[in-house]
């Protein structure tokens, strides 16, 4: 029993010495972890600072691009509300009739269905200048109607102020701006769309609407990536969505 007790004591001493070495290793690993944690925290802070600096550079570049080369702004029209005109001509008109006229004014028949648009008739959105605009309600039927009419009409086209030219130019500039923004923001666009898609040859109705849908999808994708307020966006408002994207009020622009 005494010899067995002695062996157990020796084994206990060995385990004790081994436990001390393990404790030293544990403390060393803990010190290393704390050191690495401090380093990771510092690197994370530096990375966050670099991200903020990069976002500010992107934001500055975008605001400069959209103020000098691609300015986007609302263009007011002189159209008066028919409810106001009617009420002036008939003092006995009821408020319900006035509200119905206002509601009818805000409703547009677009692509086989009625679409409610609060801005319809009030404004249009311009890009690169007040003379290149797009309808605010997203109705670009003037373009393919002109293309179909031109197919049946012989002779040169002498109508230089045709709205189809304005729509084509505005969409062409919008496509170029969107592709440039995707490079600046380092965001891959879901749809491939060339800058020359809307210029050059006259597009059929199917090809035109398909290209417009691609452009609207790319714009919405950029808006989502920059956390633009979803309540401001509309899937058919091409330039208005783009205007909200590059607005100085967009807090996350450049993220």
């Amino acid at each position: 029993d005494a010899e067995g007790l002695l062996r157990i004591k020796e084994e206990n001493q060995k385990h004790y010495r081994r436990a001390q070495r393990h404790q030293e290793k544990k403390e060393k690993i803990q010190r290393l972890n704390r050191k690495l944690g401090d380093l990771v925290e510092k690197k994370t802070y530096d990375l966050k600072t670099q991200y903020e600096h990069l976002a500010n550079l992107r934001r500055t570049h975008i605001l400069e691009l959209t103020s000098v080369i691609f300015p986007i702004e609302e263009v007011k029209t002189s159209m008066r509300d028919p409810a106001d005109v009617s009420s002036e001509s008939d003092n006995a008109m009821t408020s319900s009739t006035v509200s119905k006229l206002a509601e009818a004014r805000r409703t547009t028949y677009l692509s086989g269905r009625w679409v409610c648009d609060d801005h319809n008739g009030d404004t249009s959105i311009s890009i690169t200048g007040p003379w290149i605009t797009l309808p605010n309600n997203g109705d670009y039927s003037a373009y393919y109607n002109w293309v179909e009419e031109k197919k049946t009409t012989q002779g040169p086209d002498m109508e230089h102020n045709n709205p189809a030219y304005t729509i084509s130019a505005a969409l062409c500039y919008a496509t170029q701006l969107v592709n440039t923004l995707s490079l600046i923001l380092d965001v891959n666009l879901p749809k491939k769309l060339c800058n020359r898609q809307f210029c050059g040859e006259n597009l059929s109705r199917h090809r035109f609407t398909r290209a417009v849908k691609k452009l609207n999808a790319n714009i919405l994708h950029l808006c989502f990536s920059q956390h633009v307020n979803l309540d401001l966006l509309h899937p058919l408002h091409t330039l208005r969505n783009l205007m909200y994207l590059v607005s100085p009020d967009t807090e996350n622009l450049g993220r």
Side-chain angles (χ1 to χ4, degrees):
D1 292 340
E3 292 177 355
L5 180 61
L6 183 60
R7 286 197 303 270
I8 291 174
K9 288 183 177 180
E10 291 177 353
E11 291 179 359
N12 287 342
Q13 289 179 355
K14 290 180 180 178
H15 290 317
Y16 178 75
R17 288 192 296 268
R18 183 179 299 177
Q20 284 185 328
R21 291 197 300 269
H22 289 168
Q23 182 65 25
E24 293 175 356
K25 289 183 179 179
K26 177 183 175 181
E27 294 175 355
K28 183 178 180 181
I29 291 174
Q30 288 177 344
R31 289 194 300 269
L32 182 60
N33 286 339
R34 286 194 296 267
K35 184 177 179 181
L36 291 177
D38 295 340
L39 182 62
V40 169
E41 185 178 355
K42 182 178 181 301
K43 292 293 184 181
T44 303
Y45 177 78
D46 292 341
L47 181 62
K48 183 179 179 181
T49 304
Q50 291 296 325
Y51 275 145
E52 293 176 354
H53 179 63
L54 179 60
N56 291 331
L57 287 178
R58 288 172 172 170
R59 182 184 183 90
T60 302
H61 194 176
I62 290 173
L63 294 180
E64 182 179 0
L65 178 69
T66 54
S67 63
V68 178
I69 303 178
F70 294 102
I72 303 176
E73 56 187 8
E74 290 187 271
V75 178
K76 299 290 183 179
T77 60
S78 59
M79 183 179 297
R80 300 184 64 187
D81 195 316
D84 297 337
V85 177
S86 301
S87 61
E88 290 176 0
S89 62
D90 187 4
N91 296 328
M93 180 175 292
T94 62
S95 60
S96 62
T97 306
V98 174
S99 62
K100 289 179 180 178
L101 285 173
E103 181 181 359
R105 177 176 168 270
R106 293 192 297 268
T107 307
T108 304
Y109 189 74
L110 180 60
S111 300
R113 63 189 181 93
W114 291 99
V115 177
C116 182
D117 183 10
D118 292 338
H119 302 281
N120 183 24
D122 290 338
T123 61
S124 58
I125 309 298
S126 68
I127 183 171
T128 69
W131 54 89
I132 301 180
T133 61
L134 282 181
N136 183 67
N137 60 358
D139 183 8
Y140 308 144
S141 58
Y143 177 85
Y144 46 76
N145 289 340
W146 169 77
V147 172
E148 294 174 358
E149 182 181 355
K150 188 177 180 181
K151 291 180 180 178
T152 59
T153 305
Q154 301 295 329
D157 185 11
M158 302 301 294
E159 191 177 354
H160 298 291
N161 293 328
N162 194 304
Y165 294 147
T166 304
I167 292 175
S168 176
L171 292 174
C172 183
Y173 285 133
T175 303
Q176 186 176 0
L177 176 58
V178 169
N179 290 335
T180 305
L181 291 177
S182 69
L183 295 176
I184 297 175
L185 297 173
D186 194 22
V187 176
N188 293 326
L189 298 176
K191 304 294 183 181
K192 183 178 180 181
L193 195 63
C194 298
N195 295 340
R196 63 180 184 275
Q197 183 69 42
F198 295 100
C199 59
E201 61 175 327
N202 298 326
L203 301 176
S204 63
R205 178 170 183 169
H206 174 71
R207 292 179 60 191
F208 178 81
T209 54
R210 187 166 178 263
V212 170
K213 289 179 180 179
K214 286 184 177 181
L215 177 59
N216 287 334
N218 288 341
I219 293 175
L220 289 176
H221 183 74
L222 288 178
C223 291
F224 298 154
S225 71
Q226 302 306 301
H227 293 177
V228 178
N229 187 1
L230 299 181
D231 296 334
L232 301 175
L233 303 178
H234 190 286
L236 299 180
H237 295 175
T238 306
L239 287 185
R240 182 171 290 276
N241 293 340
L242 200 54
M243 181 179 66
Y244 288 139
L245 171 65
V246 300
S247 172
D249 297 331
T250 304
E251 298 179 357
N252 296 297
L253 181 61
R255 63 178 293 276

